[in-house]
């Protein structure tokens, strides 16, 4: 229990930690996706810029060849002395070509690097007469090669891309007699870039920004220049008048896990580069990555909001479920309460019904007791009335006989009165048996002993009346709980009745007495082969005062009393006919366990 509580306490911090981790990870992932999107766009843009630059530079790449081959140029270069006509022709040609090609300026240098003709010969910034022998493009052309060079114009102060070619002699095609240079300016291109509003710049082999959409970055370097490099630049005067300070460029390798994300002049940008063929130029396209950062934090905040919402929803649903469960429990409890109330009502109804039944039973018992008492009183009154009427008659006739002096007859009459009163005495003594307390103390009684005593009373009579006695009793005593005298009284009555039932028999009268145990019960049977029990007798056998015997011989109370005695001992007294004739009366009583028996049982168990 304690452990599960501790676990529960741990769950929430864990869930919160997991959700926070998911939010942060989601943010980083969103940033990476955004960066890769930016990178893909930048890769396309840089190629576009490279191609526009390429076009701008190479558009007039072959113009110096064309100019070098024109007779106006070579003629002018080969003229031995200054001929105004040839110079005018060269100037006119250069001007027309320059205007037609949209170049910044086209000019011709002699072998010393002096400008002998130029398309801008009429302008204030005319190149004519100026010496450009320090420029690498002059030296390259002089050695018979194409010269390509970026520089800020020493005369104009405007940056441009210079392309040069040697001019060969007409007479000796191997002999270089001069150099033709065409300058292309990138102002328009850069203006277009600026207009596009994107961050783009072009660096030369030394990492100096030569063209850019950000004017402030022009002639800045990606890394500080070495002293040697600075000296070389001073010599060719490519960046005349420029400090060539380094741009602030920091690597931010951690951002979005990209290596190409850098901080340029305080701006976080993703840098995409492309080399421009044959120029040593590198085009750099800078894509701002603040959008990626925004994506990162937006995703984090969104995920956080979603997490909080999910947790709140989860808690709400859990609470609702709990409430529903409580409601269901309450409904169940209400149902159970109702069922209980119904049950209680039913129990009360049953209890009431039971009480009613009990009182009805009690009333019935009382009624039946009253009925029995009534029957009994009627029977007693009937039985007693006859002798009393007889006594009254005898007394009246005795008085008459005495008045007449017939004393001997009167004596007989008095004798009759005595006989009748004796009969009455028998009835009252039998009735007394009914009144005897049923709570007479019980003790262990041996049925063999009780049977022995009863048979002994009849021993002479059995012989006199020639009745055969068969007795089956076990060796060991069968004990029951009861009163010895009362059991003897029952047995005496049963044997008396059996002998009376066989009184008419001249011979073969048989009295059979058996004692045995069946299923823990003692069974004692008294059987005779006498008259048996007619249906009418069977019906009233145990009723008080029912007798078939003549007046003075039976009271009809014997079996009624016997039945009461056996019933009071918890046993049963039954009667039935036996074949071919006669009746059997059986007594069933529970076998009682004596202390001796218990000891025997214990001894047996010990063995
Ligand atoms: P009583 O012996 O005074 O008549 P009981 O109650 O003992 O009274 O017997 C009632 C009647 O039951 C007898 O009168 C007799 O008709 C009948 N009876 C009892 N025992 C037997 C028996 N063994 N065989 C036939 N009838 C019997």
């Amino acid at each position: 229990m304690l452990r599960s509580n501790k676990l529960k306490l741990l769950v929430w911090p864990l869930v919160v930690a997991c959700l926070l981790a998911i939010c942060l990870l989601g943010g980083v992932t969103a940033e990476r996706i955004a960066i890769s999107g930016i990178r893909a766009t930048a890769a396309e843009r840089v190629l576009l810029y490279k191609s526009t630059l390429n076009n701008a530079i190479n558009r007039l790449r072959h113009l110096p060849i064309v100019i070098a081959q024109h007779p106006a140029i070579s003629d002018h270069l080969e003229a031995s002395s200054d001929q105004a006509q040839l110079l005018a022709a060269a100037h006119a040609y250069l001007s027309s070509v320059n205007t037609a090609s949209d170049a910044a300026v086209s000019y011709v240098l002699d072998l010393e690097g002096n400008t002998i003709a130029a398309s801008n010969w009429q302008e204030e910034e005319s190149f004519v007469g100026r010496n450009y022998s320090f420029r690498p493009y002059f030296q390259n052309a002089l050695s018979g090669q194409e010269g390509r060079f970026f520089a800020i114009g020493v005369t104009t102060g405007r940056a441009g891309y210079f392309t040069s070619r040697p001019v060969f002699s007409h007479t000796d095609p191997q002999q270089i007699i001069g150099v033709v240079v065409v300058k292309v300016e990138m102002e328009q291109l850069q203006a277009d870039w600026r207009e596009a509003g994107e961050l783009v710049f072009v660096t030369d082999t030394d990492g100096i920004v030569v063209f850019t959409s950000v004017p402030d970055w022009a002639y800045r370097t990606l890394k500080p220049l070495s002293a040697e490099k600075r000296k070389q630049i001073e010599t060719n005067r490519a960046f005349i008048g420029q400090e060539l300070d380094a741009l602030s460029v920091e690597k931010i390798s951690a951002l979005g896990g990209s290596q190409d994300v850098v901080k340029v002049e305080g701006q976080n940008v993703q840098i995409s580069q492309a080399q421009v063929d044959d120029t040593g130029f590198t085009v750099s396209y800078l894509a701002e990555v603040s959008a990626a950062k925004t994506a990162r934090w937006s995703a984090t905040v969104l995920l956080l909001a979603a997490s909080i919402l999910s947790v709140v929803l989860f808690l709400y649903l859990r609470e609702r479920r709990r409430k529903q469960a409580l409601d269901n429990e309450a409904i169940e409890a209400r149902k159970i309460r109702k069922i209980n109330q119904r049950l209680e009502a039913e129990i009360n109804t049953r209890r009431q019904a039971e009480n009613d039944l009990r009182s009805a039973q009690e009333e019935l018992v009382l009624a039946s007791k009253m009925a029995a008492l009534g029957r009994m009183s009627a029977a007693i009154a009937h039985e007693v009335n006859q002798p009393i009427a007889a006594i009254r008659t005898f007394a009246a006739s005795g008085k008459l006989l005495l008045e007449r002096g017939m004393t001997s007859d009167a004596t007989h009459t008095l004798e009759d009165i005595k006989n009748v009163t004796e009969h009455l005495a028998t009835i009252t003594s039998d009735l007394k048996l009914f009144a005897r307390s049923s709570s007479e103390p019980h003790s262990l009684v041996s049925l063999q002993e009780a049977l022995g005593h009863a048979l002994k009373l009849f021993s002479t009579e059995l012989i006199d009346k020639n009745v055969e006695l068969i007795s089956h009793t076990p060796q060991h005593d069968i004990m029951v709980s009861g009163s010895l005298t009362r059991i003897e009284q029952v047995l005496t009555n049963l044997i008396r009745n059996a002998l009376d039932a066989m009184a008419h028999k001249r011979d073969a009268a048989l009295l059979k007495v058996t004692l045995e145990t069946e299923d823990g019960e003692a069974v004692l049977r008294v059987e005779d082969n006498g008259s048996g029990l007619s249906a009418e007798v069977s019906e009233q056998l145990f009723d008080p005062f029912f007798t078939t015997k003549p007046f003075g011989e039976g009271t009809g109370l014997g079996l009624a009393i016997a039945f009461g005695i056996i019933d009071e001992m918890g046993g049963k007294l039954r009667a039935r006919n036996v074949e071919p004739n006669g009746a059997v009366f059986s007594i069933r009583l529970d076998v009682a366990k004596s202390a001796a028996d218990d000891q025997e049982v214990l001894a047996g168990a010990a063995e």
Side-chain angles (χ1 to χ4, degrees), residues 53-345:
L53 182 69
N54 231 346
N55 280 345
I57 290 172
N58 292 326
R59 188 169 59 86
L60 301 176
R61 187 174 179 177
H62 302 294
L63 190 60
I65 302 174
V66 176
I67 295 173
Q69 285 175 359
H70 198 274
I73 302 304
S74 51
D75 288 354
H76 178 54
L77 279 168
E78 281 182 318
S80 51
S81 59
D82 190 21
Q83 288 183 19
Q85 205 179 348
L86 286 174
L87 178 63
H91 276 156
Y93 174 64
L94 286 173
S95 293
S96 70
V97 167
N98 199 68
T99 309
S101 65
D102 202 23
V105 58
S106 309
Y107 52 104
V108 180
L109 308 175
D110 65 11
L111 293 175
E112 272 82 44
N114 294 316
T115 310
I116 56 161
S119 59
N120 60 358
W121 60 281
Q122 283 176 310
E123 291 168 22
E124 210 176 300
E125 295 168 339
S126 168
F127 287 4
V128 178
R130 294 185 183 272
N131 185 282
Y132 295 108
S133 59
F134 56 88
R135 294 289 203 198
Y137 61 77
F138 170 71
Q139 287 136 28
N140 288 343
L142 220 51
S143 61
Q145 290 161 3
E146 181 189 28
R148 307 189 88 191
F149 189 63
F150 170 84
I152 298 171
V154 286
T155 315
T156 59
R158 286 199 298 277
Y161 195 72
F162 299 84
T163 311
S164 66
R165 287 281 177 173
V167 183
F168 294 98
S169 162
H170 269 309
T171 48
D172 182 1
Q174 297 301 315
Q175 194 194 341
I176 295 171
I177 52 172
V179 170
V180 172
V181 186
V182 172
K183 181 186 177 187
V184 179
E185 284 180 359
M186 302 293 181
E187 291 308 318
Q188 189 51 50
L189 185 76
Q190 292 182 92
D192 291 347
W193 290 0
R194 266 199 302 281
E195 230 168 73
E198 293 184 308
L199 296 177
V200 62
F201 61 77
V202 180
T203 46
D204 66 4
T205 43
D206 300 323
I208 301 167
V209 176
V210 291
F211 310 119
T212 173
S213 64
V214 187
D216 277 356
W217 294 0
Y219 316 122
R220 306 274 295 274
T221 60
L222 290 183
K223 52 187 184 223
L225 294 170
S226 63
E228 197 188 335
K229 208 31 86 205
R230 279 191 179 274
K231 200 162 178 60
Q232 191 190 331
I233 291 167
E234 238 166 69
T235 312
N236 61 35
R237 299 190 215 170
F239 298 99
I240 193 153
Q242 298 298 330
E243 295 294 324
L244 301 179
D245 293 332
L247 276 172
S248 148
V249 180
E250 286 170 47
K251 277 210 184 291
I252 313 170
S253 54
L255 192 74
S258 309
Q259 295 300 314
D260 50 4
V261 175
V262 290
K263 194 174 196 174
V264 179
E265 291 293 300
Q267 293 187 62
N268 286 339
V269 289
Q270 191 273 330
I271 185 160
S272 298
Q273 295 183 315
Q275 301 287 331
V276 184
D277 306 330
D278 303 331
T279 57
F281 287 159
T282 304
V283 180
S284 297
Y285 177 85
L286 309 184
E288 287 199 57
V289 290
S290 55
K293 267 246 178 293
T294 311
R296 176 185 189 156
W297 292 119
S298 305
T300 309
V301 167
L302 264 176
L303 283 171
L304 204 66
S307 304
I308 291 169
L309 257 175
S310 310
V311 168
V312 167
L313 195 73
F314 168 76
L315 289 176
Y316 167 73
L317 287 177
R318 199 175 67 168
E319 198 49 45
R320 210 174 69 167
R321 235 189 357 252
R322 201 177 285 169
K323 206 171 160 289
Q324 197 133 22
L326 280 176
D327 286 354
N328 287 347
E329 264 174 38
I331 290 169
E332 284 297 308
R334 261 206 302 280
K335 274 187 196 163
I336 290 171
R337 212 176 305 131
K338 268 189 189 165
I339 291 171
N340 278 348
Q341 280 168 355
R342 252 205 325 267
L343 270 175
E344 233 166 73

Side-chain angles (χ1 to χ4, degrees), residues 451 470-473 512-516 523-527:
L451 188 63
I470 299 175
S471 170
H472 288 303
T473 55
K512 202 167 152 190
V513 185
T514 55
L515 174 62
E516 57 191 359
V523 185
L524 205 160
R525 291 188 181 90
V526 177
E527 187 181 332

Side-chain angles (χ1 to χ4, degrees), residues 376 426-442 482-490 492 557-558 560-562 564-566 568-569:
M376 184 92 166
T426 316
I427 290 172
T428 48
S429 77
D430 278 353
L431 280 173
K432 265 191 212 156
L433 284 174
F434 268 115
R436 208 182 269 174
S437 164
S438 60
S439 59
E440 198 171 299
H442 284 193
S483 153
L484 180 66
T485 50
R486 302 201 80 183
I487 293 173
E488 279 175 17
Q489 188 186 338
V490 171
T492 310
L557 288 171
I561 293 168
I565 290 170
I566 298 300
E568 192 261 326
M569 284 170 68

Side-chain angles (χ1 to χ4, degrees), residues 493-494 497-498 500-501 528 530-533 537 541 543 546-549 553-560 583 585:
N493 186 265
L494 294 183
N497 281 345
D500 287 349
D528 62 69
S531 56
L533 307 165
V537 171
L541 202 57
D543 287 353
F546 172 75
T547 181
T548 55
K549 292 174 189 171
E553 281 183 29
T555 58
L557 288 171
L559 282 179
F585 282 74

